[in-house]
Amino acid sequence: MTIQSTAADFLAAAEPMRGSEVEVERLVDLAYAPPQPQDGRGHLLDLYVPAGGGPYPLAIWTSGSAFRSDEGKQGAAEVAAFLNPAGYAVAGVSVRGSGQAVFPAQVHDVKAAVRWLRANATRHRLDADRFAVMGNSSGGWVAAMAALTGDVPELEGEVGIVGPSSRVQAAVDFYGPTDFLQMDAHMPPGAREEFNALLGLSDCHDDPRSPESRLMGGPIRERREAVALANPVTHVTAGMPPLLIVHGRADRLVPEHQSVLLFEAAAARNGTALFYSIPELGHEHSFLTDPARAEGHVTMWTRAGQRGLLPQAPPPTWETVERFVRAALGSHAARDDEVATA
């Protein structure tokens, strides 16, 4: 792409995927690092690779759980159902829950998984140069942190294989949190009370027992320096991988403002991002299979210090996600002639 390109190219330059049923090799409970704790499942991944051929670009998925679960890989089967037929391998990656280890362990884990997958790319028919990471809610935070801190020494950790690069080439963040300290100020009317009742808290996200405080190992208001390090916005640079962000304005768990902060940082620092803001949508990604759920969406782009609206952008279905990832990764094994160019 030339400097005149905009993020619009990531949707306009290629047709949606048109895959068909494919035979898939499924490998479960692969250990990308020794377990911590011994009975934990936070260092396991599942692989879904089209049978035969390759190497395939890889989509890495982690499901959200308010940072509590070490079973984030479980959501990958649904992702694979859409992306395997389009010529992608899919990895479902679990990271440790906040009850097992506090930040930055979760970032160390996902980066260790990326390194393991890259080190074993030939064995599993993966294209080591074309990795995308994605997730929803706290999994979206994991994806954003993985994408924005690739090869950052202070966040690499020593989990699992060291040596291979932890960089990814694209990222998709579905309604993930960013700045924990700003969450409460932007909760929708009545959402604080609902959040407290749901989790047995008294002070919403600022509560010492909130998901974010548990992740940080104590009240977030008392750990400001660590919270800043855990904020994807802190790590945005012009060299960031292209980032697709999707968030509902009616989200009553993670306010949409969290994604606004991330998009605005990308715009201010010459990064590349595409942001879908969806009215009337809550904390969910039903729009991926039901375009009607994204009705009225507003789509914004930013690239190289420029920004604008995409009034004719398609809804953020799996087809749209695939088009974005395909263009961000560059050439696609199945459709090299349709790669986005300017």
Side-chain angles (χ1 to χ4, degrees):
M1 292 186 179
T2 68
I3 193 64
Q4 288 79 26
S5 299
T6 70
D9 296 312
F10 287 106
L11 298 183
E15 290 297 316
M17 64 179 181
R18 289 187 175 87
S20 57
E21 292 295 326
V22 295
E23 184 180 351
V24 175
E25 178 183 2
R26 180 172 179 258
L27 303 172
V28 301
D29 288 345
L30 301 176
Y32 64 83
Q36 292 178 284
Q38 193 60 40
D39 61 349
R41 295 179 58 78
H43 287 163
L44 298 176
L45 62 82
D46 295 344
L47 264 179
Y48 304 78
V49 185
Y56 294 102
L58 176 68
I60 299 168
W61 173 268
T62 298
S63 290
S65 65
F67 307 105
R68 294 177 294 187
S69 175
D70 64 351
E71 288 280 8
K73 68 187 182 70
Q74 294 300 328
E78 291 79 7
V79 181
F82 288 93
L83 293 185
N84 283 155
Y88 294 81
V90 172
V93 170
S94 293
V95 302
R96 284 171 287 178
S98 57
Q100 299 168 328
V102 299
F103 174 82
Q106 294 72 22
V107 179
H108 292 170
D109 289 352
V110 70
K111 290 158 77 73
V114 172
R115 294 193 300 264
W116 186 93
L117 288 160
R118 188 158 274 131
N120 289 277
T122 299
R123 176 183 178 185
H124 294 295
R125 296 178 289 114
L126 310 176
D127 187 335
D129 295 325
R130 291 186 289 165
F131 281 14
V133 62
M134 54 185 71
N136 66 310
S137 193
S138 62
W141 173 85
V142 170
M145 288 294 292
L148 297 171
T149 67
D151 294 335
V152 174
E154 56 267 35
L155 284 173
E156 282 299 297
E158 297 180 351
V159 176
I161 293 174
V162 295
S165 172
S166 66
R167 289 187 63 83
V168 298
Q169 287 68 54
V172 182
D173 170 13
F174 297 122
Y175 48 91
T178 53
D179 187 346
F180 302 155
L181 297 177
Q182 293 197 49
M183 296 181 80
D184 281 0
H186 297 273
M187 292 287 278
R192 287 175 56 91
E193 293 76 15
E194 295 173 12
F195 191 85
N196 286 336
L198 178 66
L199 297 180
L201 308 176
S202 58
D203 200 15
C204 205
H205 295 283
D206 285 351
D207 195 285
R209 298 166 296 154
S210 73
E212 297 75 27
S213 291
R214 291 182 183 277
L215 176 70
M216 301 311 299
I220 56 175
R221 293 288 169 187
E222 298 176 8
R223 286 163 167 74
R224 291 176 179 269
E225 186 174 338
V227 167
L229 188 63
N231 183 353
V233 171
T234 301
H235 308 286
V236 170
T237 66
M240 62 183 275
L243 175 62
L244 173 61
I245 309 166
V246 189
H247 211 132
R249 289 179 226 161
D251 194 326
R252 302 180 73 79
L253 298 179
V254 177
E256 188 213 21
H257 181 256
Q258 294 285 291
S259 288
V260 172
L261 292 171
L262 184 55
F263 176 78
E264 290 296 337
R269 300 173 199 171
N270 298 332
T272 295
L274 197 65
F275 178 31
Y276 277 83
S277 174
I278 304 175
E280 309 303 325
L281 187 79
H283 197 72
E284 59 180 295
H285 50 278
S286 56
F287 51 81
L288 288 170
T289 55
D290 182 2
R293 298 291 295 150
E295 185 177 356
H297 64 81
V298 175
T299 309
M300 294 163 275
W301 63 266
T302 184
R303 178 179 170 87
Q306 303 175 23
R307 62 184 298 167
L309 294 173
L310 287 180
Q312 302 301 318
T317 60
W318 274 120
E319 287 79 6
T320 304
V321 171
E322 189 275 334
R323 290 168 69 181
F324 179 90
V325 170
R326 175 160 32 113
L329 294 183
S331 63
H332 188 285
R335 303 152 70 89
D336 285 347
D337 60 330
E338 294 182 356
V339 174
T341 56

